[in-house]
Amino acid sequence: MLRTVLVPVFLLLTMLQWLSFPGQFRAIAQDSPDWPWRWPLTIVAGLTVLCVQVAVASLWRALGIVRDHGILSPSLDRWLSSMGLSLLGTAVVAGCTWLALVVQADDPGGPIVFLMLV
């Protein structure tokens, strides 16, 4: 059941990574070419989506190992570790983004809203 949900999630993430985010940032760059946050936000969006994709793929593989070999399989640890590291990477990217917002902010509203979203 969970594996049937992971396929559309992974496809949605791939669509976001290759079509939606680059197109959105290109449109923003055309509207305001001197906007300094274009490349940093593109990198943050790409890294975040990539980390979540790694977590989804690791979860897919871990579910297959549990189905085939049971929950005490030694190869399961590697996939669970990669899933945990990818989620840690997502948290690090979000934390660095929040710190960058706090340093640049003249109003605390933006960083607080981002912190609440995370």
Side-chain angles (χ1 to χ4, degrees):
M1 173 66 185
L2 181 60
R3 290 181 103 183
T4 58
V5 173
L6 291 178
V7 171
V9 168
F10 190 83
L11 291 174
L12 176 69
L13 289 169
T14 303
M15 187 268 310
L16 286 173
Q17 184 180 30
W18 289 100
L19 299 175
S20 183
F21 286 136
Q24 177 66 33
F25 290 128
R26 185 182 67 231
I28 290 173
Q30 288 175 350
D31 291 342
S32 54
D34 57 341
W35 190 54
W37 288 97
R38 176 187 178 203
W39 290 111
L41 285 178
T42 303
I43 291 169
V44 165
L47 285 175
T48 302
V49 170
L50 180 65
C51 287
V52 175
Q53 282 177 326
V54 169
V56 168
S58 298
L59 181 58
W60 175 278
R61 186 65 185 125
L63 288 172
I65 290 172
V66 167
R67 185 192 66 217
D68 295 339
H69 304 292
I71 198 158
L72 298 176
S73 174
S75 60
L76 183 64
D77 290 339
R78 183 182 64 181
W79 292 104
L80 292 177
S81 294
S82 69
M83 185 172 44
L85 287 174
S86 67
L87 294 176
L88 178 66
T90 304
V92 167
V93 168
C96 290
T97 304
W98 185 77
L99 284 175
L101 285 174
V102 166
V103 169
Q104 297 292 326
D106 56 351
D107 178 22
I112 290 173
V113 168
F114 184 76
L115 182 63
M116 295 305 295
L117 287 174
V118 171

